Amino acid sequence: MRGKWLKIIGVFFLIVTLALAGCASSETKPKEDTQDDQNSTDQTKEQESTTEDTSSEGELEPLEEPVTVTIAEDGSASGAGFYIAKERGYFEQYNINVEFVKFGNSDEMLPALAAGKIDVAGGISSASFFNSIAQGIDVRMIADKGHNVMGDSYFTFVLRKDLQDEIKDYKDLKGKRVAVSTKNAVDDYIYGKMLEHAGLTRDDVEFTLMSDFGNMMSAMGNDQIAAALQIEPLITQGIEENLHVKFGDVTDFAPKAQIAMVLGSPKFLNERRDVALRFMAGYLEGVRDYNDVFVKGEGEKEEIINIMTNHTALKDPAIWNKVAVTGLNPNGRMFIEDIKKQYDMYKENGAIKGEVDFDKAVDPSLVEDVLKIIGEY
């Protein structure tokens, strides 16, 4: 923050400037649109200017009084930005205290978020999620919380190890049993993209619904399935136990699949905009540290891994050096067009009742406002 002398000098400078200018008022320069085609949308939203929230250096000032922001988070690895920002003091520097709360399922969490009882949550694309929005539960998708890193997906297909000489390509899965954890959710969407890539139909492959990823490991060991859409750290664990091998990479055919999103309460985004702005700045600082370590191979790796072991179910630091990590955009942007494609698939399958207004449900404005202040990664 500015020191006392800087404030005095600033006031003196302002008085002199006003005197010379005849106390003429100046016009506020409109904000430039910095959105790229990854988050392009037709929506136009009126947002309050953030000029009063920034110092002369363009940095956000801390809030005058401490506030608490509640986050619905279950210890998933995709919450890395929240955990790192909390532990490294990025929220605290803005006078924000974060409180993690857990819900049994999204049926409980989404209404609480819409009502403003919690401020932020994580969401995964599914027909159930979109149905909730179509039926009037007002939550907003505001930032990226999970995608696959190109060529090193954390959520990808694995093949039973004894079949790797027989099945060389996705088209070779014809007639085989493939385990997927959900129907009409992002898993099913990726599965469909794989079939399309392979030139196969859903009738060509035996879709096996298996909601527990751990059960997929057992099914591999018992030769009950040929392949599975598996997730880390079980991908790495299965490789080390000689149960399966990685089978291609999801980014070969679905490079921009949006797997999870940061969700925001409308009350938080609108009525507490000054808090939301600083919260997002802190979150992105945490995500950037995460990318420095896991994508660039820079930064304080041991410290970041310790934070992740403290907050997630993966407690072995050695495994964190082996797994393919969740992709988190250091600029916070989502693959908005892919979210719409997932919605279209669920709707075509008859799994969605009603319509979703994407101009309202997807709101990238908070991220874009923050990027104008802290800059691009």
PDB file of all heavy atoms in Angstrom, residues 142-160:
ATOM      1  N   ILE A 142     -17.480 -19.217 -13.995  1.00  0.00           N
ATOM      2  CA  ILE A 142     -16.675 -17.993 -14.053  1.00  0.00           C
ATOM      3  C   ILE A 142     -15.202 -18.212 -14.401  1.00  0.00           C
ATOM      4  O   ILE A 142     -14.524 -17.257 -14.796  1.00  0.00           O
ATOM      5  CB  ILE A 142     -16.772 -17.203 -12.739  1.00  0.00           C
ATOM      6  CG1 ILE A 142     -16.254 -18.021 -11.551  1.00  0.00           C
ATOM      7  CG2 ILE A 142     -18.211 -16.753 -12.495  1.00  0.00           C
ATOM      8  CD1 ILE A 142     -16.195 -17.239 -10.237  1.00  0.00           C
ATOM      9  N   ALA A 143     -14.676 -19.436 -14.250  1.00  0.00           N
ATOM     10  CA  ALA A 143     -13.244 -19.644 -14.534  1.00  0.00           C
ATOM     11  C   ALA A 143     -12.959 -21.128 -14.731  1.00  0.00           C
ATOM     12  O   ALA A 143     -13.748 -22.002 -14.336  1.00  0.00           O
ATOM     13  CB  ALA A 143     -12.377 -19.079 -13.407  1.00  0.00           C
ATOM     14  N   ASP A 144     -11.819 -21.402 -15.311  1.00  0.00           N
ATOM     15  CA  ASP A 144     -11.369 -22.780 -15.524  1.00  0.00           C
ATOM     16  C   ASP A 144     -10.992 -23.438 -14.199  1.00  0.00           C
ATOM     17  O   ASP A 144     -10.351 -22.830 -13.352  1.00  0.00           O
ATOM     18  CB  ASP A 144     -10.153 -22.768 -16.458  1.00  0.00           C
ATOM     19  CG  ASP A 144      -9.525 -24.144 -16.628  1.00  0.00           C
ATOM     20  OD1 ASP A 144     -10.273 -25.105 -16.833  1.00  0.00           O
ATOM     21  OD2 ASP A 144      -8.288 -24.239 -16.537  1.00  0.00           O
ATOM     22  N   LYS A 145     -11.387 -24.709 -14.052  1.00  0.00           N
ATOM     23  CA  LYS A 145     -10.989 -25.479 -12.878  1.00  0.00           C
ATOM     24  C   LYS A 145     -10.574 -26.898 -13.271  1.00  0.00           C
ATOM     25  O   LYS A 145     -10.493 -27.781 -12.430  1.00  0.00           O
ATOM     26  CB  LYS A 145     -12.115 -25.530 -11.842  1.00  0.00           C
ATOM     27  CG  LYS A 145     -11.675 -26.054 -10.468  1.00  0.00           C
ATOM     28  CD  LYS A 145     -12.826 -25.985  -9.479  1.00  0.00           C
ATOM     29  CE  LYS A 145     -12.411 -26.539  -8.129  1.00  0.00           C
ATOM     30  NZ  LYS A 145     -12.392 -28.021  -8.130  1.00  0.00           N
ATOM     31  N   GLY A 146     -10.289 -27.101 -14.546  1.00  0.00           N
ATOM     32  CA  GLY A 146      -9.832 -28.421 -14.942  1.00  0.00           C
ATOM     33  C   GLY A 146      -9.968 -28.692 -16.430  1.00  0.00           C
ATOM     34  O   GLY A 146     -11.057 -28.647 -16.987  1.00  0.00           O
ATOM     35  N   HIS A 147      -8.835 -28.950 -17.049  1.00  0.00           N
ATOM     36  CA  HIS A 147      -8.796 -29.411 -18.435  1.00  0.00           C
ATOM     37  C   HIS A 147      -7.541 -30.276 -18.572  1.00  0.00           C
ATOM     38  O   HIS A 147      -6.724 -30.351 -17.659  1.00  0.00           O
ATOM     39  CB  HIS A 147      -8.777 -28.240 -19.416  1.00  0.00           C
ATOM     40  CG  HIS A 147      -7.547 -27.375 -19.312  1.00  0.00           C
ATOM     41  ND1 HIS A 147      -7.461 -26.289 -18.465  1.00  0.00           N
ATOM     42  CD2 HIS A 147      -6.337 -27.461 -19.917  1.00  0.00           C
ATOM     43  CE1 HIS A 147      -6.266 -25.736 -18.568  1.00  0.00           C
ATOM     44  NE2 HIS A 147      -5.551 -26.443 -19.441  1.00  0.00           N
ATOM     45  N   ASN A 148      -7.394 -30.942 -19.684  1.00  0.00           N
ATOM     46  CA  ASN A 148      -6.222 -31.789 -19.914  1.00  0.00           C
ATOM     47  C   ASN A 148      -5.077 -30.986 -20.507  1.00  0.00           C
ATOM     48  O   ASN A 148      -5.280 -30.155 -21.395  1.00  0.00           O
ATOM     49  CB  ASN A 148      -6.569 -32.944 -20.845  1.00  0.00           C
ATOM     50  CG  ASN A 148      -7.299 -34.069 -20.122  1.00  0.00           C
ATOM     51  OD1 ASN A 148      -6.899 -34.477 -19.040  1.00  0.00           O
ATOM     52  ND2 ASN A 148      -8.363 -34.578 -20.720  1.00  0.00           N
ATOM     53  N   VAL A 149      -3.878 -31.246 -20.010  1.00  0.00           N
ATOM     54  CA  VAL A 149      -2.681 -30.640 -20.578  1.00  0.00           C
ATOM     55  C   VAL A 149      -2.340 -31.374 -21.874  1.00  0.00           C
ATOM     56  O   VAL A 149      -2.350 -32.601 -21.918  1.00  0.00           O
ATOM     57  CB  VAL A 149      -1.488 -30.740 -19.595  1.00  0.00           C
ATOM     58  CG1 VAL A 149      -0.203 -30.232 -20.239  1.00  0.00           C
ATOM     59  CG2 VAL A 149      -1.792 -29.962 -18.322  1.00  0.00           C
ATOM     60  N   MET A 150      -2.072 -30.644 -22.920  1.00  0.00           N
ATOM     61  CA  MET A 150      -1.820 -31.224 -24.226  1.00  0.00           C
ATOM     62  C   MET A 150      -0.748 -32.312 -24.178  1.00  0.00           C
ATOM     63  O   MET A 150       0.370 -32.072 -23.739  1.00  0.00           O
ATOM     64  CB  MET A 150      -1.392 -30.132 -25.218  1.00  0.00           C
ATOM     65  CG  MET A 150      -1.302 -30.600 -26.667  1.00  0.00           C
ATOM     66  SD  MET A 150      -2.931 -30.983 -27.384  1.00  0.00           S
ATOM     67  CE  MET A 150      -3.684 -29.351 -27.451  1.00  0.00           C
ATOM     68  N   GLY A 151      -1.142 -33.517 -24.588  1.00  0.00           N
ATOM     69  CA  GLY A 151      -0.201 -34.630 -24.659  1.00  0.00           C
ATOM     70  C   GLY A 151       0.094 -35.321 -23.353  1.00  0.00           C
ATOM     71  O   GLY A 151       0.811 -36.324 -23.319  1.00  0.00           O
ATOM     72  N   ASP A 152      -0.477 -34.828 -22.246  1.00  0.00           N
ATOM     73  CA  ASP A 152      -0.201 -35.423 -20.937  1.00  0.00           C
ATOM     74  C   ASP A 152      -1.451 -35.309 -20.060  1.00  0.00           C
ATOM     75  O   ASP A 152      -1.432 -34.723 -18.983  1.00  0.00           O
ATOM     76  CB  ASP A 152       0.987 -34.721 -20.282  1.00  0.00           C
ATOM     77  CG  ASP A 152       1.563 -35.521 -19.116  1.00  0.00           C
ATOM     78  OD1 ASP A 152       1.344 -36.744 -19.056  1.00  0.00           O
ATOM     79  OD2 ASP A 152       2.235 -34.913 -18.267  1.00  0.00           O
ATOM     80  N   SER A 153      -2.530 -35.921 -20.519  1.00  0.00           N
ATOM     81  CA  SER A 153      -3.821 -35.783 -19.868  1.00  0.00           C
ATOM     82  C   SER A 153      -3.883 -36.499 -18.518  1.00  0.00           C
ATOM     83  O   SER A 153      -3.398 -37.618 -18.381  1.00  0.00           O
ATOM     84  CB  SER A 153      -4.926 -36.337 -20.774  1.00  0.00           C
ATOM     85  OG  SER A 153      -5.009 -35.601 -21.980  1.00  0.00           O
ATOM     86  N   TYR A 154      -4.535 -35.844 -17.574  1.00  0.00           N
ATOM     87  CA  TYR A 154      -4.741 -36.452 -16.254  1.00  0.00           C
ATOM     88  C   TYR A 154      -6.018 -37.279 -16.220  1.00  0.00           C
ATOM     89  O   TYR A 154      -6.272 -38.018 -15.273  1.00  0.00           O
ATOM     90  CB  TYR A 154      -4.799 -35.371 -15.166  1.00  0.00           C
ATOM     91  CG  TYR A 154      -6.150 -34.683 -15.010  1.00  0.00           C
ATOM     92  CD1 TYR A 154      -6.991 -34.988 -13.941  1.00  0.00           C
ATOM     93  CD2 TYR A 154      -6.587 -33.721 -15.929  1.00  0.00           C
ATOM     94  CE1 TYR A 154      -8.226 -34.368 -13.787  1.00  0.00           C
ATOM     95  CE2 TYR A 154      -7.805 -33.100 -15.781  1.00  0.00           C
ATOM     96  CZ  TYR A 154      -8.625 -33.412 -14.720  1.00  0.00           C
ATOM     97  OH  TYR A 154      -9.853 -32.789 -14.576  1.00  0.00           O
ATOM     98  N   PHE A 155      -6.809 -37.179 -17.284  1.00  0.00           N
ATOM     99  CA  PHE A 155      -8.094 -37.862 -17.396  1.00  0.00           C
ATOM    100  C   PHE A 155      -8.158 -38.435 -18.806  1.00  0.00           C
ATOM    101  O   PHE A 155      -8.525 -37.757 -19.755  1.00  0.00           O
ATOM    102  CB  PHE A 155      -9.214 -36.854 -17.146  1.00  0.00           C
ATOM    103  CG  PHE A 155     -10.595 -37.438 -17.061  1.00  0.00           C
ATOM    104  CD1 PHE A 155     -10.841 -38.589 -16.334  1.00  0.00           C
ATOM    105  CD2 PHE A 155     -11.667 -36.812 -17.687  1.00  0.00           C
ATOM    106  CE1 PHE A 155     -12.122 -39.131 -16.251  1.00  0.00           C
ATOM    107  CE2 PHE A 155     -12.948 -37.333 -17.602  1.00  0.00           C
ATOM    108  CZ  PHE A 155     -13.173 -38.491 -16.875  1.00  0.00           C
ATOM    109  N   THR A 156      -7.749 -39.693 -18.951  1.00  0.00           N
ATOM    110  CA  THR A 156      -7.563 -40.245 -20.290  1.00  0.00           C
ATOM    111  C   THR A 156      -7.787 -41.755 -20.284  1.00  0.00           C
ATOM    112  O   THR A 156      -8.021 -42.355 -19.233  1.00  0.00           O
ATOM    113  CB  THR A 156      -6.155 -39.886 -20.820  1.00  0.00           C
ATOM    114  OG1 THR A 156      -6.082 -40.129 -22.212  1.00  0.00           O
ATOM    115  CG2 THR A 156      -5.067 -40.673 -20.097  1.00  0.00           C
ATOM    116  N   PHE A 157      -7.726 -42.359 -21.457  1.00  0.00           N
ATOM    117  CA  PHE A 157      -7.985 -43.794 -21.572  1.00  0.00           C
ATOM    118  C   PHE A 157      -6.753 -44.623 -21.202  1.00  0.00           C
ATOM    119  O   PHE A 157      -5.615 -44.240 -21.485  1.00  0.00           O
ATOM    120  CB  PHE A 157      -8.423 -44.141 -22.994  1.00  0.00           C
ATOM    121  CG  PHE A 157      -9.827 -43.717 -23.301  1.00  0.00           C
ATOM    122  CD1 PHE A 157     -10.084 -42.500 -23.922  1.00  0.00           C
ATOM    123  CD2 PHE A 157     -10.907 -44.527 -22.960  1.00  0.00           C
ATOM    124  CE1 PHE A 157     -11.382 -42.093 -24.206  1.00  0.00           C
ATOM    125  CE2 PHE A 157     -12.204 -44.135 -23.231  1.00  0.00           C
ATOM    126  CZ  PHE A 157     -12.448 -42.911 -23.852  1.00  0.00           C
ATOM    127  N   VAL A 158      -7.030 -45.739 -20.554  1.00  0.00           N
ATOM    128  CA  VAL A 158      -5.995 -46.738 -20.276  1.00  0.00           C
ATOM    129  C   VAL A 158      -6.450 -48.068 -20.870  1.00  0.00           C
ATOM    130  O   VAL A 158      -7.648 -48.336 -21.003  1.00  0.00           O
ATOM    131  CB  VAL A 158      -5.719 -46.891 -18.762  1.00  0.00           C
ATOM    132  CG1 VAL A 158      -5.095 -45.633 -18.203  1.00  0.00           C
ATOM    133  CG2 VAL A 158      -6.997 -47.242 -17.998  1.00  0.00           C
ATOM    134  N   LEU A 159      -5.476 -48.892 -21.208  1.00  0.00           N
ATOM    135  CA  LEU A 159      -5.733 -50.192 -21.841  1.00  0.00           C
ATOM    136  C   LEU A 159      -5.140 -51.300 -20.975  1.00  0.00           C
ATOM    137  O   LEU A 159      -4.039 -51.152 -20.433  1.00  0.00           O
ATOM    138  CB  LEU A 159      -5.091 -50.214 -23.234  1.00  0.00           C
ATOM    139  CG  LEU A 159      -5.220 -51.494 -24.049  1.00  0.00           C
ATOM    140  CD1 LEU A 159      -6.657 -51.692 -24.532  1.00  0.00           C
ATOM    141  CD2 LEU A 159      -4.269 -51.441 -25.251  1.00  0.00           C
ATOM    142  N   ARG A 160      -5.877 -52.375 -20.846  1.00  0.00           N
ATOM    143  CA  ARG A 160      -5.365 -53.522 -20.093  1.00  0.00           C
ATOM    144  C   ARG A 160      -4.023 -53.949 -20.680  1.00  0.00           C
ATOM    145  O   ARG A 160      -3.891 -54.108 -21.892  1.00  0.00           O
ATOM    146  CB  ARG A 160      -6.363 -54.677 -20.140  1.00  0.00           C
ATOM    147  CG  ARG A 160      -6.313 -55.568 -18.917  1.00  0.00           C
ATOM    148  CD  ARG A 160      -7.461 -56.540 -18.900  1.00  0.00           C
ATOM    149  NE  ARG A 160      -7.265 -57.607 -19.890  1.00  0.00           N
ATOM    150  CZ  ARG A 160      -8.252 -58.186 -20.565  1.00  0.00           C
ATOM    151  NH1 ARG A 160      -9.508 -57.789 -20.385  1.00  0.00           N
ATOM    152  NH2 ARG A 160      -7.987 -59.157 -21.411  1.00  0.00           N
TER     153      ARG A 160
END
